Amino acid sequence: MAIPSAAADGPADPQAREDTSLLELVADWYWEQDAEFRFTVVSSRRSEKGEADPFPLVGHKHWEQPALNLTEADWERHRALLAWHKPFRDFEVQHATEDGRLVWLLLSGQPMFDESGAFKGYRGIGRDITAHKRAEDLHQLEHAIARALAEATNTSEGVRDALRLVCEAEGWDAGRCFRVDPSSGEAKYSEGWFAREADIEQLLRGSRVLWQSGKPVWSTDLPRTGRAAGRGVAKSGGHFATFALPVPSPQGTIALLAFSGQTTREPDASFLDAVPAIGRLFAQFLQRKSAEESLRESEARFRSLTQLSSDFFWESDAEHRLTSIVHGPSYTAPIGYGLLGNTPWELPSARPEEAGWQAHRATLESRLPFRDFEVARALPDGSTRFFAVSGQPRYDAHGAFLGYRGVGRDVTEIALARERIASLAYSDSLTGLANRVSLAPALEQAIERARRNGSKLAGVFIDLDGFKQINDRHGHAAGDSFLVEVAQRLRRNVRASDLVARLGGDEFFVMLEGVQDMVGVERVVVKIIDALRRPYPGIGEAQRRVSATLGVSIFPDDAPDATTLIEHADEAMYTAKQAGKNAYCLYSTGTKPPAPRPAASAHAAPQP
């Protein structure tokens, strides 16, 4: 509903009308209040779009309309400010419009006085910051999910906590995880924040073609009966909605996350944009936990078997030279531990390093028993095998030291699984770059080195412009290929010692150590911008729609620690994005630098 103005032509004063026209160019609303703080003029462009306006009606005070984010104490503080006739800036208010939307307003106002100095009221502007607040909320949701999954002690706890976060943020009544059986392709219930419902499983079976291709599923046709699990509220009749998003991996969809509740509101575009990132967080977590569980099962089976026999037995002399190696009854592969007549450290090994061998030799010289000393050997066929060796000293009847005897186990599968788990935990599964979990400690270590050396380092926050169009037009597979290519271009355009991380979605972070001056940093930044906006073969017309916006923060000039460095680089990036994208901004100046010279932007792509 359009909000009427107190006068047909707006403010009577010509200068006021001119001011109003200018303000409408930079704001969504221009408004005026009388000395009693009642709205007398509200000029809005919403009516032109046919949208319901969240502003109070003319003749009413602002606090007479419910604000979802403000308490009576908040309004009391605002009224006190108005009573003192003080200007105010960036006052945030959330309203529900007549058409059911939740809208955030950002208001600024200043008092008006007549020629004699008497207070006349207020006038000011308002902006709709709903999209910005929504983006902030989803960004915080991704951070919260990543933190919940990283801190979980087991799979069930992590999945339930993450599902709860999504339900609370998006207003769903229930969240469930369905694991996809790789042999049959069927989605089977695994974990849930509330209780399972057969109707949802029937929906997932019927929409298998959709989610197997990576597409989300939306339905409002399921009947709502029984009790809302977890809340103890009886609900019968009517309909409730279900939204399912796939959890992707390079091998295909490995799980489905299904959310349901009594609503007919379809997930908005902002949440759909965040769906791939949320799905990948769950995928990385489930794969890592699955690997850990497989490793535990493997170790348990192996311990049980080795109680009956070992893979091989060995003996050494008083000089620690191997004198005998005998295979166990069930082990026929070459052990690779060493050749007779040699000490273990005289033979080439991939592990341990020299320091590890020195510690092992000290143990032997002290005549101490040892357990599960791990050695990696390269075999003649080119493979590498890992062995866990245990031994104890042996003596003759007179107590003279004769050497060692012991057993060994082939632990290659366990060692490789351990490395895979480490890779899943600290690297991005799609691009192979460092992930958000590994960035923080690496950045803290780099800052500590910079403190010791009295040097500087730069943090560069990178956000892609136009990535959403890639997914919308060409699908998520093309979007994933595009992100892989972006990661490769970033690595090629920085030093091998510089850390490149993917924070999630289309956000990346580059850490440049040993910074000498800003000229060198800006040279690298311009080089990255130029590399990212070159054409991307095989992804349609991406070269005409994708560029990058960067923000730069310097330690210690702009930030004293890793967390602040990332935050300030992020703020600088948003400044550059607001100024027009396809550019960069230095946090120290807070402004976008001049456009690169033609030579530096020869490959610039047209903006969308």
Side-chain angles (χ1 to χ4, degrees):
M1 180 179 74
I3 298 176
S5 172
D9 298 323
D13 179 49
Q15 180 63 44
R17 283 198 301 270
E18 181 179 348
D19 291 344
T20 300
S21 298
L22 291 175
L23 288 172
E24 287 181 344
L25 296 177
V26 296
D28 295 314
W29 296 276
Y30 169 79
W31 54 268
E32 291 184 6
Q33 294 174 339
D34 61 17
E36 300 299 325
F37 311 119
R38 293 183 294 262
F39 283 99
T40 58
V41 173
V42 177
S43 176
S44 172
R45 291 176 291 176
R46 287 299 186 89
S47 58
E48 301 172 3
K49 305 176 184 179
E51 297 179 2
D53 210 312
F55 248 104
L57 294 175
V58 168
H60 290 267
K61 301 175 183 179
H62 202 165
W63 47 86
E64 293 176 348
Q65 182 185 22
L68 303 181
N69 65 314
L70 300 178
T71 64
E72 181 57 31
D74 295 326
W75 278 123
E76 189 61 35
R77 285 190 291 271
H78 183 64
R79 286 194 291 266
L81 184 69
L82 300 181
W84 282 97
H85 304 160
K86 299 290 186 181
F88 63 89
R89 287 183 59 82
D90 298 339
F91 181 56
E92 291 186 359
V93 185
Q94 187 186 35
H95 289 309
T97 64
E98 293 178 353
D99 56 5
R101 293 178 300 108
L102 299 181
V103 178
W104 282 92
L105 312 179
L106 188 68
L107 306 178
S108 299
Q110 60 183 15
M112 298 184 296
F113 303 91
D114 61 18
E115 295 178 354
S116 64
F119 175 66
K120 294 172 53 179
Y122 270 83
R123 66 178 175 181
I125 60 173
R127 288 195 299 115
D128 186 334
I129 59 169
T130 305
H132 176 71
K133 298 289 285 188
R134 179 65 168 153
E136 283 184 349
D137 290 343
L138 290 174
H139 193 61
Q140 292 174 1
L141 175 60
E142 288 186 32
H143 280 273
I145 291 173
R147 184 166 55 252
L149 295 177
E151 295 175 352
T153 57
N154 56 62
T155 304
S156 296
E157 175 188 323
V159 171
R160 284 197 300 268
D161 286 349
L163 289 173
R164 174 182 56 79
L165 289 170
V166 177
C167 288
E168 291 177 349
E170 296 300 303
W172 295 106
D173 293 334
R176 303 166 179 82
C177 176
F178 295 80
R179 301 292 291 271
V180 177
D181 187 333
S183 59
S184 66
E186 289 289 333
K188 299 180 179 179
Y189 175 80
S190 173
E191 299 291 342
W193 183 42
F194 292 157
R196 60 182 294 181
E197 296 183 20
D199 291 328
I200 295 178
E201 298 177 18
Q202 179 63 37
L203 168 67
L204 296 180
R205 284 193 291 270
S207 59
R208 178 172 172 177
V209 174
L210 285 175
W211 54 257
Q212 279 191 331
S213 65
K215 298 178 181 179
V217 180
W218 167 255
S219 172
T220 58
D221 296 331
L222 300 182
R224 182 68 163 182
T225 58
R227 300 178 65 83
R231 293 186 178 179
V233 178
K235 295 183 178 180
S236 61
H239 290 79
F240 82 118
T242 300
F243 176 75
L245 64 92
V247 176
S249 76
Q251 292 75 37
T253 299
I254 62 172
L256 287 165
L257 307 179
F259 302 95
S260 59
Q262 285 196 311
T263 178
T264 58
R265 177 177 61 85
E266 188 170 355
D268 60 22
S270 298
F271 184 72
L272 292 177
D273 289 341
V275 160
I278 293 174
R280 279 190 286 270
L281 286 173
F282 273 88
Q284 189 174 11
F285 172 76
L286 292 175
Q287 288 176 308
R288 175 162 58 88
K289 287 300 183 182
S290 177
E292 290 175 352
E293 291 170 2
S294 296
L295 178 59
R296 283 194 295 270
E297 292 175 1
S298 176
E299 289 178 328
R301 287 194 301 269
F302 198 80
R303 282 194 300 271
S304 176
L305 292 174
T306 52
Q307 290 176 353
L308 302 175
S309 66
S310 298
D311 290 336
F312 58 89
F313 305 84
W314 60 273
E315 287 187 356
S316 66
D317 62 17
E319 301 300 321
H320 309 302
R321 294 182 295 255
L322 290 170
T323 59
S324 174
I325 299 176
V326 180
H327 284 187
S330 61
Y331 190 75
T332 58
I335 62 174
Y337 181 74
L339 298 177
L340 300 182
N342 294 279
T343 62
W345 49 86
E346 289 176 340
L347 300 170
S349 62
R351 189 179 297 176
E353 299 177 345
E354 182 59 29
W357 280 119
Q358 290 179 1
H360 182 59
R361 292 175 65 178
T363 298
L364 299 182
E365 294 298 333
S366 300
R367 312 289 193 259
L368 297 175
F370 63 92
R371 289 184 59 83
D372 296 331
F373 176 69
E374 192 168 296
V375 180
R377 298 285 190 193
L379 301 185
D381 62 2
S383 63
T384 299
R385 306 295 295 181
F386 293 79
F387 304 97
V389 183
S390 301
Q392 61 183 14
R394 56 192 179 94
Y395 302 88
D396 65 11
H398 304 288
F401 176 66
L402 297 177
Y404 272 80
R405 69 159 55 99
V407 297
R409 298 180 293 129
D410 188 326
V411 293
T412 303
E413 293 182 0
I414 294 175
L416 295 179
R418 186 171 61 237
E419 293 178 355
R420 286 195 298 270
I421 291 172
S423 175
L424 286 170
Y426 296 103
S427 64
D428 178 61
S429 59
L430 177 64
T431 63
L433 298 176
N435 62 10
R436 187 184 294 274
V437 173
S438 60
L439 172 62
L443 194 53
E444 290 286 1
Q445 294 170 9
I447 285 179
E448 187 59 34
R449 289 193 295 270
R451 286 195 183 102
R452 289 197 302 266
N453 301 330
S455 61
K456 300 181 179 182
L457 65 85
V460 183
F461 199 108
I462 303 169
D463 185 85
L464 302 179
D465 308 321
F467 175 69
K468 181 178 183 297
Q469 291 89 326
I470 296 290
N471 280 333
D472 290 348
R473 179 170 294 186
H474 303 287
H476 291 294
D480 287 350
S481 299
F482 172 81
L483 291 174
V484 170
E485 173 63 20
V486 167
Q488 293 173 351
R489 294 187 185 186
L490 289 175
R491 280 254 55 104
R492 289 196 296 265
N493 285 277
V494 297
R495 297 167 301 186
S497 59
D498 294 327
L499 176 68
V500 181
R502 179 177 176 227
L503 303 182
D506 59 347
E507 292 181 344
F508 297 81
F509 192 89
V510 174
M511 179 180 70
L512 306 175
E513 290 195 69
V515 170
Q516 300 298 323
D517 52 46
M518 286 305 302
V519 174
V521 174
E522 292 189 75
R523 187 181 299 116
V524 174
V525 169
V526 171
K527 185 179 178 183
I528 290 175
I529 292 176
D530 185 61
L532 294 183
R533 65 186 175 190
R534 288 200 300 269
Y536 291 80
I539 310 181
E541 300 175 349
Q543 64 269 27
R544 297 219 310 263
R545 295 183 286 108
V546 178
S547 58
T549 302
L550 286 67
V552 182
S553 179
I554 305 294
F555 170 86
D557 299 353
D558 303 331
D561 53 48
T563 300
T564 309
L565 187 74
I566 296 174
E567 291 175 353
H568 286 180
D570 190 7
E571 292 177 20
M573 182 275 294
Y574 273 108
T575 300
K577 190 173 285 288
Q578 291 170 354
K581 303 180 181 179
N582 192 27
Y584 69 98
C585 174
L586 309 177
Y587 180 82
S588 57
T589 63
T591 58
K592 190 183 83 169
R597 296 183 182 276
S601 57
H603 301 288
Q607 292 300 296

